[in-house]
Amino acid sequence: MSKPHILVARDIFPEVIEQLAPHFEVHANQDDTLWSQAELIERLQGKDGALLTGTQPINAELLAACPRLRIAANMTVGYNNFDVAAMTAAGVQGTNTPDVLTETTADFGFALLMATARRMAEAEHYLRAGLWKSWRYDMFAGSEVHGSTLGILGMGRIGQGIARRGAHGFGMNVIYHNRSRLSPALEAECQARYVSKDELLAQADHLVLVLPYTRESHHAIGAAELARMKPTATLVNIARGGIVDDAALAAALKDGRIAAAGLDVFEGEPGVHPGLLAVPNVVLTPHIASATVPTRLAMARLAADNLIAFFDGRGALTPVNQPVHRS
Ligand code: 8YV
């Protein structure tokens, strides 16, 4: 029996290509060429499945042009690159990589919060520029982390990981807002108190965004929300670009309407709003919250396992939709 053909759309760990090889005719992009939508469509011709990294949109146009495609396996937990309704209607399975990146991403969220609150990037640039000539009592004085109020918008698995770190590690008072409230048992474990979005904005000393990007969460933090925050507050976004209105944030940081921001994700990345590059009170990282070798390998392996299980007839392991499959 001939093996299904799959496309691996970006460069990936060689061991994952080896994992796929016994099961599939693998067409890999080990040169890591960045394909346009038209090029991706062309490469997907004759392919039954695809392993994607979250930067390639799977939309109605692509689905119509790739009638053989049966599964798109994302190597990401967020899947805003999928038009899920169009995929379901077209009978195409989507999968993501939950759980395997939760703790690593929560670690990074906390690191970014600390770097932002304690002005680490600004201080390092100052030192490297040879500007450090003497000590001053207020040199790079930042804001307190321990004992402060940690606000979390979006309380899924990663949000809960950040809450636990804040509550148990740093004695923080944790408040959160989410579409649905956690069970009393989970609230107790995270030592987190549910509040309205308005209360969250008004009370948080450090506000961390960990919600999925959807039509509803587009610009969930814009000028109006930033105006409700404390002028001493920090904002951390490890979720998705587009949840924050980056132009409004750049203006708020410039005018000191909030103290600082830590951003791992951006509207239109890899582009970054020039206003953010121009202000010192923001720590900027290039979408690396899940980037440790073991975690990225676990993500890639889970995406591969989804493809293998699906074509074995066992069903996808971590599906994001329930299509009636193309035969
Ligand atoms: C990915 C992520 O590395 O999993 C996600 O949703 O944002 C990251 O872990 C990134 O999406 C790769 O494109």
Side-chain angles (χ1 to χ4, degrees), residues 137-199:
Y137 78 96
D138 61 350
M139 192 164 77
F140 296 108
S143 56
E144 217 66 270
V145 175
H146 74 273
S148 65
T149 296
L150 169 61
I152 302 176
L153 185 58
M155 198 60 155
R157 291 162 284 224
I158 298 169
Q160 291 164 32
I162 291 171
R164 282 193 205 96
R165 283 160 176 75
H168 302 302
F170 290 80
M172 295 171 94
N173 163 39
V174 182
I175 54 177
Y176 77 98
H177 183 74
N178 195 39
R179 277 175 302 187
S180 50
R181 196 171 163 172
L182 297 186
S183 68
L186 262 183
E187 279 190 355
E189 195 191 314
C190 297
Q191 292 180 21
R193 188 165 57 85
Y194 183 80
V195 294
S196 69
K197 186 176 169 190
D198 266 350
E199 284 174 273

Side-chain angles (χ1 to χ4, degrees), residues 10 52-55 74-80 97 101 105 158 238-240 264-265 269 287-291 295-296 299:
R10 294 290 307 274
L52 308 162
T53 58
T55 48
N74 248 9
M75 184 189 147
T76 68
V77 68
Y79 50 92
N80 52 299
T97 57
L101 48 54
T105 305
I158 298 169
I238 56 163
R240 276 291 179 274
D264 188 49
V265 289
E269 63 187 51
H287 203 147
I288 55 168
S290 66
T295 292
R296 285 279 165 86
M299 291 163 69

Side-chain angles (χ1 to χ4, degrees), residues 147-292:
S148 65
T149 296
L150 169 61
I152 302 176
L153 185 58
M155 198 60 155
R157 291 162 284 224
I158 298 169
Q160 291 164 32
I162 291 171
R164 282 193 205 96
R165 283 160 176 75
H168 302 302
F170 290 80
M172 295 171 94
N173 163 39
V174 182
I175 54 177
Y176 77 98
H177 183 74
N178 195 39
R179 277 175 302 187
S180 50
R181 196 171 163 172
L182 297 186
S183 68
L186 262 183
E187 279 190 355
E189 195 191 314
C190 297
Q191 292 180 21
R193 188 165 57 85
Y194 183 80
V195 294
S196 69
K197 186 176 169 190
D198 266 350
E199 284 174 273
L200 187 79
L201 293 168
Q203 290 175 22
D205 294 312
H206 307 286
L207 177 60
V208 183
L209 309 179
V210 212
L211 63 167
Y213 184 49
T214 61
R215 208 167 287 137
E216 292 72 44
S217 66
H218 179 72
H219 286 187
I221 302 293
E225 289 75 17
L226 291 163
R228 282 193 203 108
M229 291 174 67
K230 295 180 183 177
T232 51
T234 62
L235 175 72
V236 172
N237 187 6
I238 56 163
R240 276 291 179 274
I243 293 174
V244 174
D245 176 345
D246 285 350
L249 177 60
L253 289 167
K254 183 162 177 267
D255 299 346
R257 272 178 271 134
I258 65 166
L263 306 173
D264 188 49
V265 289
F266 305 88
E267 286 191 287
E269 63 187 51
V272 177
H273 190 285
L276 292 171
L277 295 170
V279 288
N281 47 343
V282 57
V283 181
L284 306 165
T285 52
H287 203 147
I288 55 168
S290 66
T292 66

Side-chain angles (χ1 to χ4, degrees), residues 14 26 28 32 42 48 66-68 75 84 89 124 137 154 185-186 220 226 256 270 315 323 325:
V26 181
D32 214 24
E42 197 185 309
D48 305 287
C66 305
R68 186 159 157 179
M75 184 189 147
V84 175
E124 206 225 25
Y137 78 96
L186 262 183
L226 291 163
H325 296 302

